[in-house]
Amino acid sequence: MVNRTKLNWSHVTPKPLWLNRRALIAGIGATALASPALAKIAAKPSQFSTDVEPNTLEEITNYNNFYEFGWDKTDPAANAGQLTTDPWSVTVDGLVDRPGTYDLADIMKDRPLEERIYRFRCVEAWAMVIPWIGFELSGLLNRFGVQPSAKYVAIQTLLRPEEMPGQRAGGINWPYVEGLRLDEAMNPLTIMATGLYGENLPKQNGAPLRLVVPWKYGFKSIKSIVKISLVAEQPPTTWQQLQPSEYGFYANVNPEVNHPRWSQATERKIGGGFFASRQETLKFNGYGDEVAGMYAGMDLAKNY
Amino acid sequence: MARLDAWLKRVPNWAVWLAGFIPLAWLIWLVVTNDLGVDPVKEIEHRLGKIALWFLVGGLVITPLRSFVGLNLIRYRRAIGLLAFIYVVLHLMAWAVFDMGLLMSQAINDLFRRPYLIFGISAFILLIPLAITSNKASIRKLGANWRRLHWLVYPAVLLGVVHYLWQMKVIRTEGWIWLVVALLLLATRIKWPGSSARSAPKKGPSKRQQAINAANKT
């Protein structure tokens, strides 16, 4: 809703689209329209990628919890099409040297895009493997000049009930908000995703910009981001406000700490077939080497 | 209503059974045609549970239909109750085999520690004796105790509905509707002081019909 009429960065074609267009023209010239390289976003592979086979695009885009578009897993795919993702701007405020409202193209400017094939674990005890394309959040935050007094990052999803039917229904106090401790936000595993399977992020997956924190339950990975605030105090988060006994601020994947109503010891792999699709859940979703140090000395059962 | 009642009387019991298996046939068809979406396991499990709820609640509708509307479907109640039980068993099997992948140690561990699973399994356990005694021989043998035993269907339905609500991340409108409907149906069973909820005095069945009903019940 911000700066929608003003001429700004969104009127500049984003580089990936521009590249696609060039590739398309080249493609027509070469009459090789079906070439797989055609619409791919250029993204470097990453050492943090898992070598587990990713879920199919169909699975990733038709099984979403994005309550802004409805309660059912298939609702986002059905309803997210109406979301306007261009123009898109992100407000950066709080304890930063360069606050402001930045257009998406500006946010993405000079961000090195990488493909990160990450395990994804939902608090509902299902799991996928997703080939995200994105950039490290730390690089973005550093651009704004994080002040020493900043301890947390608070992130907000778009509030636009006219395009997000779920926001017209009750149940959740919109907009959706999430947050990370600053060291979590600065961890190299934490990315802002803008793409998936070599394409721009599908709307049901949180286009045009979403957080991905692979060692935490999926609800931490907030979608369709419009605001990033650097703050001194732990910010409120949607699920924690909704049900504090069940969803904590940290929400680290942990098979030893069960959800009060269900076990987190195992998970069902989506696309795993009818038999034996259940697998052991790994602590920190398997990213312990990279992240466990941040929680040294913390009681993870208490800080769930 | 009398005409509808008379027409319904001609519906044979096997037709109710046949109709009762249509949802299962449909579900199997969706599995075969790979039409259950990205997560067929959850879909099968949830659909079977929901069908079981329909039959469980449907079974509770029969008595109020007779007392308040004058529609007598008592003769189909056994089929509806047994169909409900069959779908509960299928739901439970889908959970154990497809969802839990037969990791029985975790399944059993969960069963006794997770509130919503406790509600669900309790409903199932309560329904077992009812299914076993849903036949003429048991009714003869148990006499008045048969009715006392089958009173268990009320807590079973309530536990089933609570089980359904409790597994939701956020309880949705549909969940609350199920709970309200179940509670209303249970409320019709309460004998309020000064009135009899079990028989509608104005449009109630005739003496003869009451006798037939009594005979059908036993």
Side-chain angles (χ1 to χ4, degrees):
Chain A
M1 301 306 276
V2 206
N3 290 347
R4 288 190 81 179
T5 48
K6 232 174 72 187
L7 191 70
N8 57 27
W9 266 101
S10 67
H11 296 89
V12 179
T13 308
K15 195 177 177 189
L17 283 181
W18 170 76
L19 282 174
N20 287 353
R21 208 182 286 162
R22 259 210 329 204
L24 193 67
I25 294 161
I28 293 164
T31 61
L33 272 167
S35 155
L38 207 67
K40 296 282 178 191
I41 297 171
K44 277 194 203 140
S46 165
Q47 52 158 331
F48 295 119
S49 286
T50 167
D51 44 22
V52 179
E53 182 75 14
N55 281 83
T56 65
L57 184 65
E58 200 214 334
E59 287 161 351
I60 295 168
T61 55
N62 288 285
Y63 196 79
N64 308 100
N65 280 329
F66 196 171
Y67 290 165
E68 281 82 344
F69 294 106
W71 293 115
D72 287 333
K73 301 268 190 295
T74 49
D75 285 343
N79 299 329
Q82 58 191 292
L83 179 69
T84 308
T85 54
D86 184 20
W88 192 273
S89 55
V90 180
T91 299
V92 181
D93 66 8
L95 306 166
V96 287
D97 295 335
R98 286 173 290 281
T101 297
Y102 297 85
D103 190 78
L104 182 64
D106 197 6
I107 292 279
M108 289 182 65
K109 207 174 94 186
D110 299 330
R111 292 298 105 215
L113 290 181
E114 287 186 16
E115 184 183 56
R116 297 279 179 107
I117 306 170
Y118 278 164
R119 283 182 292 277
F120 183 94
R121 169 61 153 81
C122 180
V123 75
E124 297 166 350
W126 53 266
M128 285 199 197
V129 175
I130 304 178
W132 302 108
I133 287 175
F135 52 85
E136 291 181 8
L137 178 59
S138 63
L140 181 69
L141 293 180
N142 286 334
R143 252 185 74 191
F144 304 123
V146 178
Q147 295 173 359
S149 49
K151 297 285 178 279
Y152 292 89
V153 185
I155 309 179
Q156 203 177 94
T157 294
L158 176 72
L159 178 68
R160 194 181 288 162
E162 60 273 27
E163 287 183 0
M164 297 176 137
Q167 289 181 340
R168 302 199 285 268
I172 290 176
N173 187 17
W174 307 107
Y176 192 88
V177 287
E178 258 305 335
L180 294 173
R181 221 168 56 187
L182 191 59
D183 59 338
E184 297 176 325
M186 292 296 192
N187 189 286
L189 283 180
T190 305
I191 59 164
M192 282 288 185
T194 56
L196 180 65
Y197 260 121
E199 308 281 347
N200 280 329
L201 203 58
K203 289 176 179 176
Q204 62 266 43
N205 294 87
L209 183 73
R210 70 167 290 169
L211 184 73
V212 178
V213 199
W215 72 94
K216 292 175 181 285
Y217 293 121
F219 67 86
K220 293 295 290 184
S221 293
I222 182 169
K223 304 184 185 84
S224 302
I225 294 165
V226 293
K227 193 174 174 194
I228 302 171
S229 311
L230 277 295
V231 293
E233 304 291 330
Q234 183 178 305
T237 61
T238 293
W239 280 102
Q240 195 189 19
Q241 283 177 309
L242 212 58
Q243 200 60 267
S245 62
E246 300 188 348
Y247 309 98
F249 176 80
Y250 287 96
N252 291 320
V253 176
N254 193 340
E256 296 147 33
V257 179
N258 289 322
H259 185 279
R261 287 184 283 146
W262 56 79
S263 165
Q264 297 290 26
T266 59
E267 63 205 24
R268 233 159 29 76
K269 187 175 162 29
I270 300 302
F274 283 108
F275 301 98
S277 63
R278 196 164 276 275
Q279 59 194 19
E280 304 269 315
T281 288
L282 304 169
K283 196 163 181 176
F284 298 114
N285 204 22
Y287 297 99
D289 288 349
E290 290 86 1
V291 303
M294 293 192 291
Y295 308 103
M298 262 176 76
D299 182 350
L300 293 175
K302 215 178 258 172
N303 297 288
Y304 52 89
Chain B
M1 200 51 69
R3 262 170 70 186
L4 181 63
D5 195 48
W7 182 82
L8 279 168
K9 229 163 233 107
R10 272 184 261 146
V11 176
N13 233 305
W14 61 260
V16 175
W17 276 103
L18 198 66
F21 282 114
I22 289 173
L24 181 64
W26 177 239
L27 188 59
I28 291 169
W29 172 252
L30 291 176
V31 172
V32 172
T33 56
N34 196 16
D35 241 351
L36 282 174
V38 167
D39 190 11
V41 168
K42 222 29 335 118
E43 203 60 31
I44 291 169
E45 190 179 351
H46 285 179
R47 280 182 192 229
L48 287 170
K50 187 62 77 64
I51 299 165
L53 272 184
W54 277 112
F55 280 104
L56 281 170
V57 170
L60 288 194
V61 173
I62 288 171
T63 300
L65 262 190
R66 192 184 46 151
S67 21
F68 298 121
V69 186
L71 208 60
N72 184 5
L73 303 174
I74 291 282
R75 63 198 163 283
Y76 308 123
R77 194 166 58 180
R78 179 184 298 160
I80 289 169
L82 284 171
L83 281 162
F85 183 74
I86 289 166
Y87 281 106
V88 167
V89 170
L90 290 172
H91 170 65
L92 196 66
M93 280 167 58
W95 170 75
V97 179
F98 298 143
D99 189 341
M100 295 311 296
L102 289 174
L103 292 175
M104 286 330 278
S105 61
Q106 196 202 324
I108 288 163
N109 206 353
D110 277 3
L111 212 52
F112 295 102
R113 283 172 54 202
R114 308 278 150 228
Y116 82 97
L117 291 175
I118 293 173
F119 293 133
I121 202 76
S122 307
F124 166 68
I125 290 168
L126 290 182
L127 289 173
I128 295 171
L130 310 198
I132 292 172
T133 57
S134 282
N135 53 69
K136 286 210 171 92
S138 297
I139 293 167
R140 266 196 300 273
K141 207 168 144 195
L142 290 168
N145 283 332
W146 188 89
R147 297 209 62 171
R148 267 180 225 139
L149 179 68
H150 280 244
W151 179 89
L152 286 177
V153 75
Y154 303 139
V157 172
L158 199 58
L159 284 165
V161 171
V162 173
H163 161 77
Y164 167 59
L165 262 72
W166 206 283
Q167 51 85 36
M168 292 185 188
K169 219 155 98 191
V170 182
I171 297 177
R172 296 144 67 162
T173 316
E174 196 194 344
W176 293 120
I177 292 171
W178 276 97
L179 185 65
V180 167
V181 168
L183 288 174
L184 282 174
L185 287 170
L186 291 177
T188 64
R189 268 71 184 183
I190 298 171
K191 290 196 182 102
W192 304 100
S195 75
S196 82
R198 295 194 73 81
S199 64
K202 276 177 206 157
K203 283 189 79 184
S206 65
K207 277 258 162 66
R208 187 176 160 270
Q209 190 57 52
Q210 281 179 9
I212 293 166
N213 290 347
N216 279 337
K217 236 179 279 172
T218 53

